[in-house]
Amino acid sequence: MILVLSGEGKTDLGELVFGTGEFKAGAMYMIIDKIIETKYNYSPYRTSKDNIKYIPESELSKKAKSLKPIKLPGVDGKKETAYFFRNARALATISKEYENSIAILFRDSDGTNSSTNSEWQDKYDSILKGFESANFKQGIAMLPKPKSEAWLICALKNSYQNCNNLENESGNDASPNSLKKQLEVYNLSNEQICEKIEKNEIDIEKIKMNSFEKFKSRLEEIINA
């Protein structure tokens, strides 16, 4: 299994280390790793890192711009949903270069204001349609609502209780009680959060949030196929 990933930064899926090009995991990748480990009893990150292909956001954007524009039924022309569609299409195109590959596109669903459920669903559907437009069936949308901090705060602050309420908070980092500020209270580095996920101190099986469960069920469906 080859994992082809694209995220937004080092604290979500991860980054390529300058100089070596080695993939360094972020918290969102460790969630992926833990789900795969539960199924196959091995960690791709610890045992087969060569099978993890990380595509930086800037590189994916260049790939998207190089592809001939297409218009498919059911894909609207809204700027935001089109962005998700183009990114997924580009990642699918890259993924098809590898045999037995799975593509995972991570994007925060909203960085300014709290998204409605319909807006989140439109973005989610646009990612899947982007994969489909390239005839790629192993594509997965990792789309936290409103952003990845909400998934982690579910475990750290709420003890996994009433976590869907976090999905209704603003994704604006400049807001007085932003999700980013709420997470910073715990003074945990990216490495420490990754370690907590690896050791099940953040138990992803207990995270019950609509956006999280949508991602998790899709990944499990594909790796169980």
Side-chain angles (χ1 to χ4, degrees), residues 8 38 45 63 95 107 116 134 161 197 223:
E8 294 180 331
T38 300
Y45 190 66
K63 182 67 174 179
S95 300
R107 292 291 184 266
T116 65
Q161 301 300 310
I197 295 170
I223 65 176

Side-chain angles (χ1 to χ4, degrees), residues 7 55 57 59 88 98 102 108 133 135 140 152 155 166 183 213:
I55 314 300
E57 187 177 12
E59 183 179 334
Y98 302 98
I102 292 174
D108 284 323
S133 73
N135 195 29
I140 299 164
L152 301 173
L166 291 165
L183 186 60
E213 292 183 276

Side-chain angles (χ1 to χ4, degrees), residues 10-11 15 24-27 30 45 188-199:
K10 65 181 181 181
T11 58
E15 63 179 338
K24 182 179 180 181
M30 293 311 297
Y45 190 66
L188 294 169
S189 67
N190 176 58
E191 290 77 12
Q192 288 171 319
I193 293 174
C194 288
E195 186 177 351
K196 282 183 174 294
I197 295 170
E198 187 175 4
K199 293 181 176 179

Side-chain angles (χ1 to χ4, degrees), residues 2 7 16 22 43 50 68 116 145-146 148 175 199 225:
I2 304 293
L16 298 178
E22 181 181 7
S43 158
D50 287 346
K68 183 179 178 180
T116 65
K145 182 176 184 292
S148 61
S175 66
K199 293 181 176 179

Side-chain angles (χ1 to χ4, degrees), residues 9-75:
K10 65 181 181 181
T11 58
D12 48 71
L13 282 185
E15 63 179 338
L16 298 178
V17 177
F18 180 76
T20 66
E22 181 181 7
F23 175 65
K24 182 179 180 181
M28 295 298 104
Y29 172 77
M30 293 311 297
I31 289 173
I32 296 167
D33 205 80
K34 181 60 68 172
I35 293 170
I36 294 173
E37 184 178 19
T38 300
K39 165 65 176 176
Y40 291 108
N41 200 31
Y42 89 100
S43 158
Y45 190 66
R46 293 197 303 269
T47 61
S48 55
K49 197 181 288 189
D50 287 346
N51 290 336
I52 302 172
K53 311 299 181 183
Y54 183 77
I55 314 300
E57 187 177 12
S58 58
E59 183 179 334
L60 191 66
S61 178
K62 289 179 182 177
K63 182 67 174 179
K65 290 176 181 177
S66 74
L67 298 176
K68 183 179 178 180
I70 60 172
K71 175 67 177 177
L72 293 178
V75 178

Side-chain angles (χ1 to χ4, degrees), residues 140-159:
I140 299 164
M142 193 175 197
L143 191 70
K145 182 176 184 292
K147 57 194 314 176
S148 61
E149 285 87 349
W151 290 0
L152 301 173
I153 291 169
C154 171
L156 296 170
K157 181 180 180 180
N158 286 17
S159 298

